[in-house]
Each structure stands twice: as structure tokens, then as C-alpha cells.
Amino acid sequence: MVRAIKGTLVECDPSIKSIIISIDSENNEYIIEDLDETHLVVKDNMVAQLKTELDKRLKENVPDVEDDSDSDRDVQ
């Protein structure tokens, strides 16, 4: 019997896609289909949870940068 799953098309950079694939590899609960290097189909009811998990991973891996808008003015 054929079963349809409602999905959402996600377009992202390859680096973000690799993080999403890493998140999905733990339980295989997000990705329906890996289309190409920048597109995935994700289960529609899991998009919000995936965004939350992705934000958490990005905060762990990307350091905070202070806003120093005058830094380029110091160079002579």
C-alpha cells in the first residue's frame, strides 16, 4: 500500500544541510527526501522542531561576535 507523507521543501546552504542531516541521523524523524546539495523535503509537522534543534546546534558551533561598528575606522 502506498503511503503519502506531507512535506515541506527546505532550501539551504550545503553547510546547513549537513547539520540538518546530522540532526536527522540520530532518529530519522525529520527528512523525507534528500533532493540535491541545497534541497531537502522535511516532514511538515516537524519543521518547527527542526528549526529549534538547528538554532541550538548553530549557537553551540558559531561564536558570538560583538558589534564593533567603529573597528574599521581605527585603521589608518
Side-chain angles (χ1 to χ4, degrees):
M1 174 182 254
V2 177
R3 195 175 99 186
I5 300 172
K6 187 174 181 181
T8 300
L9 179 65
V10 175
E11 181 179 12
C12 56
D13 292 331
S15 59
I16 299 298
K17 182 182 170 199
S18 68
I19 297 171
I20 293 172
I21 289 172
S22 172
I23 293 168
D24 185 64
S25 68
E26 296 168 4
N27 295 320
N28 297 321
E29 59 187 2
Y30 299 105
I31 298 174
I32 297 171
E33 189 69 35
D34 182 352
L35 301 175
D36 60 28
E37 65 225 18
T38 58
H39 294 89
L40 295 163
V41 178
V42 175
K43 292 179 185 173
D44 191 56
N45 61 338
M46 299 299 280
V47 172
Q49 185 177 346
L50 179 59
K51 284 182 181 180
T52 302
E53 186 65 31
L54 182 59
D55 285 341
K56 186 167 59 168
R57 293 271 181 106
L58 288 173
K59 286 178 184 175
E60 291 172 359
N61 295 325
V62 178
D64 289 334
V65 177
E66 292 184 23
D67 183 23
D68 186 9
S69 59
D70 292 333
S71 64
D72 59 341
R73 295 183 186 153
D74 297 337
V75 178
Q76 295 184 19

